[in-house]
Amino acid sequence: MTLLTTRGAEEAQWVLCQGCTTPLYRKRWARGRKVCPECGYHARLTAPERLDQLVDPGTLEPLPFSAVTEDILGFVDTIPYPRRLADARARTGLDEAVVCARGAIDGHPVVVAAMDFRFLGGSLGVGVGQLIAMAAETALVERIPLLIVTASGGARMQEGTLALMQMARTSAALGQLDDAGILTISLITDPTYGGVAASFATLADVIVAEPGARLGFAGRRVIEQTIHQVLPQRFQTAEFLLERGFVDRVVPRDRLRTELSRLLAAAVVPSPGATGDEPPAPTVSDPGLLPESDPWEQVRLARKLDRPTTLDYLSMAFTDFQELHGDRLGGDSPAVVGGTARLAGRPVMVIGHQKGHTAAELNQRNFGMPGPDGYRKAARLMRLADKLGLPVVTLVDTPGAYPGADAEERGQAVAIAENLRLMAGLRVPIVTVIIGEGGSGGALALAVANRVLIFGNGVYSVISPEGCAAILWQDPAAAPRAAAALGGSARDLLRLGIVDGVIPEPDGGTGADPLRSADRLRAALVPLVDELSGRTPQALVADRRERFGAFGTALTVESGLRPLREGVS
């Protein structure tokens, strides 16, 4: 950011935006937290400025750590390393390139480690590694979340291989927080490269980035010189990485405190029964109380485009939803959405298939048919829920997993199989609701739950009626006959024990009265989540394994085998 001085002024009165080159009045720019009001360019903040921005007034308490930074190698480039350190300390007023403190964000306790690019480019050396590790240890001892604000050009060359070792040191420190179930958040600011990007910056549970922030292992210039190609303008920016599943959220600076507060709140799990009063669950558990319906008509009703989607229910039946993106492997399927939310006051993780209401939405969401990146994103969020002790709610509405060649090449079957195994052993409550269409393994990959509900006009089947008709009848026109034979209606599913309850739909279906449908969904979920949250992790896993181990029990007993039960291997 270039400073422009006015004639006779003792200090700079104007700044020149590096994003759009617009001259900005310095005081206005500073009041806006150094964000250009014209183009939105986010200039760098110092570590003290960052702490002042994020932490509640009066709660900031620097951690009493001193970093040990020595010139072990006797390193000299254009000037000796000790002199570089002394100059950086004099210029910034800091001891090292990171400042560690405890405080609160909207009342939520947090340990913050904020990096400062002014100090030798925010480079990762022994001192920085030591401070990050001690901040993580503080979060571990006090059992409060850790927030790391990154800004770095990479590992500190003047400390040689000792600097390289800090990547492993800090990664191990975050691993301890994973084992302890303590939330970690990484706030990526511009730039974050090299050893920091390839260690603690990208190992956090949730990765939030400021607009335009660059994140990568090798810098743009190095890559272009290596491969002799010109890279896209948006390469390595937060927005570029969000599209590819490596960043959860891109959040403007003026919204950071609010977004971080909601993430921190999700890590506070209330005791069972603390969700407040809800009306009695409107579910039907006796198939004899459900009217008989035409199976093919029920399939058509389940597919109606006016039915509320997962995102619709998240806006009506839940509160404080924060969508988290990406599988951290290079993809972010739009056919699966998920994130933290509150269900009648209780923090939960909600994951669901997402279709749409219009042709454009259906195309954008791939008709609710996920590829491997969708199931891997769901798996990442379920692992986070397991770590934090959050109940998982899944909303199923898909014709099935995407049957494309690229999905097969990227491991569709493996991704689905991994989800089935993961959900079977998850240590938190899982409740699934089929809100529309439950198609094959693509639906089951989000439905290995302790309790499964279905809306009255929903369907759930091993294959679509059209697919069954084409294979067995060799006639697509036989789809209505196939629908009747497959037994996928809500009444059939309840009779078979596949679902535990049916949520009656308003007259005309869920699309005719979305708000009432959302109320019924919430009322059905709350008592189940409350009841399951009172169980131990071992009991939840045993319950799930017993539930799915019981399907087909009669056939198993006749063949002389016994179904698995708790304590039996």
Side-chain angles (χ1 to χ4, degrees):
M1 190 67 69
T2 304
L3 300 182
L4 305 177
T5 57
T6 56
R7 184 177 301 174
E10 294 184 359
E11 66 172 332
Q13 297 296 317
W14 296 84
V15 296
L16 191 66
C17 174
Q18 289 183 359
C20 64
T21 68
T22 299
L24 305 171
Y25 185 53
R26 184 175 186 276
K27 291 184 178 179
R28 180 190 178 195
W29 174 69
R31 283 195 302 270
R33 300 286 185 185
K34 298 185 179 180
V35 176
C36 176
E38 301 298 325
C39 72
Y41 177 80
H42 284 53
R44 293 172 189 156
L45 293 180
T46 68
E49 288 172 334
R50 184 68 67 179
L51 291 169
D52 178 68
Q53 173 210 359
L54 296 176
V55 178
D56 296 346
T59 68
L60 186 67
E61 179 186 349
L63 296 179
F65 302 144
S66 58
V68 178
T69 303
E70 299 178 5
D71 184 21
I72 302 293
L73 302 179
F75 196 99
V76 179
D77 46 273
T78 55
I79 61 174
Y81 180 40
R83 203 166 104 201
R84 284 194 183 279
L85 285 171
D87 290 346
R89 286 166 178 156
R91 187 174 61 256
T92 64
L94 305 177
D95 292 330
E96 252 299 350
V98 64
V99 177
C100 301
R102 64 167 60 85
I105 298 178
D106 282 344
H108 302 294
V110 65
V111 173
V112 185
M115 303 188 74
D116 197 314
F117 196 81
R118 298 175 302 159
F119 197 106
L120 300 184
S123 51
L124 173 61
V126 172
V128 172
Q130 181 181 9
L131 289 169
I132 294 289
M134 289 192 292
E137 184 177 351
T138 301
L140 179 64
V141 171
E142 299 182 7
R143 299 199 63 79
I144 58 177
L146 173 66
L147 167 64
I148 304 177
V149 185
T150 65
S152 176
R156 190 168 297 179
M157 293 175 285
Q158 294 89 342
E159 296 181 15
T161 313
L162 288 171
L164 182 68
M165 295 301 105
Q166 304 312 307
M167 295 170 62
R169 181 185 195 178
T170 54
S171 299
L174 262 69
Q176 287 185 292
L177 296 181
D178 289 336
D179 294 341
I182 295 172
L183 176 67
T184 55
I185 304 172
S186 182
L187 171 55
I188 306 297
T189 72
D190 188 64
T192 298
Y193 279 120
V196 169
S199 59
F200 57 87
T202 52
L203 288 178
D205 297 316
V206 180
I207 300 177
V208 179
E210 287 193 325
R214 292 166 294 168
L215 169 70
F217 183 57
R220 181 190 187 96
R221 184 173 56 186
V222 172
I223 297 172
E224 288 185 332
Q225 289 174 351
T226 301
I227 66 175
H228 305 293
Q229 293 180 7
V230 177
L231 297 171
Q233 187 64 33
R234 297 171 67 247
F235 185 73
Q236 293 184 323
T237 63
E239 295 77 8
F240 180 91
L241 296 169
L242 178 68
E243 294 169 359
R244 286 155 180 79
F246 294 110
V247 169
D248 282 290
R249 300 180 68 78
V250 176
V251 181
R253 192 168 288 169
D254 61 356
R255 289 191 2 232
L256 275 174
R257 288 188 84 253
T258 299
E259 298 277 349
L260 291 173
S261 170
R262 290 165 65 183
L263 286 170
L264 294 169
V268 181
V269 180
S271 58
T275 53
D277 295 329
E278 283 289 326
T283 56
V284 175
S285 56
D286 180 356
L289 299 178
L290 295 173
E292 291 196 32
S293 59
D294 177 73
W296 179 240
E297 178 62 20
Q298 189 157 351
V299 171
R300 296 174 61 189
L301 291 173
R303 294 172 175 173
K304 287 188 66 175
L305 294 184
D306 66 351
R307 294 182 72 85
T309 66
T310 292
L311 287 176
D312 292 329
Y313 283 123
L314 278 163
S315 69
M316 297 183 293
F318 300 82
T319 58
D320 294 335
F321 172 60
Q322 264 192 318
E323 186 172 358
L324 303 178
H325 290 270
D327 65 356
R328 294 286 193 276
L329 294 173
D332 182 35
S333 169
V336 170
V337 297
T340 58
R342 287 186 174 267
L343 174 65
R346 178 189 294 279
V348 294
M349 184 71 74
V350 185
I351 305 164
H353 300 97
Q354 178 66 23
K355 287 184 178 178
H357 299 293
T358 66
E361 289 176 350
L362 288 168
N363 276 295
Q364 194 270 325
R365 299 285 180 177
N366 202 35
F367 294 82
M369 295 186 293
D373 49 349
Y375 294 113
R376 289 171 180 145
K377 172 168 65 172
R380 182 177 79 83
L381 298 184
M382 286 188 278
R383 290 190 186 99
L384 176 56
D386 188 74
K387 171 182 172 177
L388 300 178
L390 300 180
V392 173
V393 175
T394 64
L395 303 179
V396 170
D397 188 16
T398 180
Y402 180 58
D406 63 326
E408 293 299 320
E409 292 170 359
R410 291 182 291 120
Q412 182 76 290
V414 175
I416 292 172
E418 291 284 358
N419 271 28
L420 301 180
R421 179 172 61 181
L422 172 66
M423 296 187 78
L426 220 61
R427 299 169 299 175
V428 294
I430 308 176
V431 179
T432 292
V433 183
I434 300 161
I435 60 174
E437 187 177 13
S440 190
L444 183 61
L446 294 188
V448 183
N450 296 96
R451 300 291 180 269
V452 179
L453 305 177
I454 188 170
F455 270 100
N457 289 331
V459 293
Y460 192 15
S461 181
V462 67
I463 191 173
S464 70
E466 295 91 336
C468 179
I471 294 171
L472 298 183
W473 276 268
Q474 299 182 2
D475 179 7
R481 293 174 61 192
L486 285 168
S489 69
R491 191 172 190 268
D492 288 336
L493 294 166
L494 188 58
R495 178 179 56 82
L496 292 169
I498 303 296
V499 302
D500 300 286
V502 176
I503 305 174
E505 301 193 11
D507 293 340
T510 56
D513 196 340
L515 283 175
R516 180 172 294 182
S517 301
D519 288 342
R520 291 182 178 181
L521 174 64
R522 182 177 58 250
L525 285 172
V526 168
L528 290 180
V529 172
D530 272 350
E531 186 266 323
L532 292 169
S533 295
R535 301 191 182 189
T536 65
Q538 296 80 4
L540 289 167
V541 172
D543 173 84
R544 215 172 297 128
R545 289 175 176 167
E546 183 171 356
R547 172 192 177 86
F548 286 88
F551 294 129
T553 297
L555 296 177
T556 306
V557 171
E558 287 175 6
S559 64
L561 300 176
R562 295 179 181 272
L564 291 177
R565 289 292 183 267
E566 184 178 2
V568 179
S569 60

